Amino acid sequence: MNIVELRQYTLHPGARDTLIDLFEREFVTGQQAVGIALGGRFRDLDDPDRFVWIRAFPDLAQRRRALEAFYTGPVWRAHRDEANATMIDSDDVLLLRGPGYTPALGLREVEVTICRPPSAAEFDAYAGRHLTPGHALHRTEHAVNDYPQLPVRTGLDVRVWFGPSEPPPWTPLQRLRLAPVS
């Protein structure tokens, strides 16, 4: 299992495609060059000012090293002002443990469920009936964020999965409908 960041950015109105173009042109290869595994990158189908993306690391130590290398490196320094100008909020980040997720080629929509089950046993019973390995199940990573320059949400014990499913019997924190960036 990897350390995974599920990142949801709230952008200034009309800025999403500007950020996506910059991200795809500069930040994909820039992050990969320092050992970051990029997963899916998405447009939120229900919010035109939201960009959602995933990145993964083999462990927390590698996460810290890779983030330090990227955010002090030439790619971020050259383009950070342009990227930051598109964003209202980039701190909606869940630190998770799981396989990561990259959508299959040609997939037009991905459903993501973020929930806070009442107990591990209740979630396990639900998952056993409704989720498969193809749902790429993730759980909160409770370790301390050792790269505090990039905040993560804390105090939550969530489960996140990708793909259609029977809604859980408790109210999800969030259900997303996402279109992969191609």
Side-chain angles (χ1 to χ4, degrees):
M1 291 286 147
N2 294 311
I3 300 297
V4 176
E5 293 178 359
L6 175 60
R7 306 185 67 83
Q8 297 185 59
Y9 291 178
T10 301
L11 307 174
H12 291 287
R16 182 168 65 185
D17 285 338
T18 300
L19 179 60
I20 289 172
D21 290 344
L22 176 63
F23 198 95
E24 294 297 305
R25 186 178 68 246
E26 302 294 342
F27 297 153
V28 170
T29 56
Q31 290 183 79
Q32 289 171 335
V34 298
I36 299 171
L38 271 284
R41 295 168 309 278
F42 307 95
R43 290 175 174 88
D44 186 320
L45 292 170
D46 298 316
D47 185 344
D49 301 319
R50 184 173 306 262
F51 174 60
V52 178
W53 62 290
I54 299 163
R55 63 182 169 192
F57 312 85
D59 56 43
L60 284 166
Q62 178 58 31
R63 174 181 178 263
R64 187 188 68 253
R65 286 190 299 273
L67 293 176
E68 286 172 353
F70 180 72
Y71 289 105
T72 62
V75 173
W76 180 248
R77 281 188 309 214
H79 302 286
R80 71 179 168 215
D81 292 342
E82 184 181 359
N84 287 334
T86 67
M87 299 177 201
I88 295 171
D89 176 32
S90 61
D91 293 347
D92 187 351
V93 179
L94 292 173
L95 190 60
L96 306 167
R97 186 165 293 274
Y101 180 78
T102 301
L105 288 175
L107 194 61
R108 292 180 180 255
E109 185 175 324
V110 174
E111 293 178 29
V112 179
T113 303
I114 302 170
C115 71
R116 189 176 192 171
S119 72
E122 287 179 71
F123 180 78
D124 291 345
Y126 166 82
R129 288 190 309 275
H130 301 291
L131 302 180
T132 68
H135 282 99
L137 178 61
H138 295 76
R139 297 172 186 258
T140 296
E141 171 56 56
H142 292 288
V144 172
N145 176 16
D146 64 354
Y147 194 75
Q149 298 89 323
L150 294 179
V152 298
R153 291 170 63 186
T154 60
L156 294 175
D157 188 17
V158 299
R159 305 300 186 268
V160 177
W161 64 90
F162 296 80
S165 65
E166 184 71 26
W170 50 88
T171 303
L173 293 176
Q174 199 172 17
R175 288 189 60 110
L176 301 169
R177 291 182 330 109
L178 305 174
V181 171
S182 43

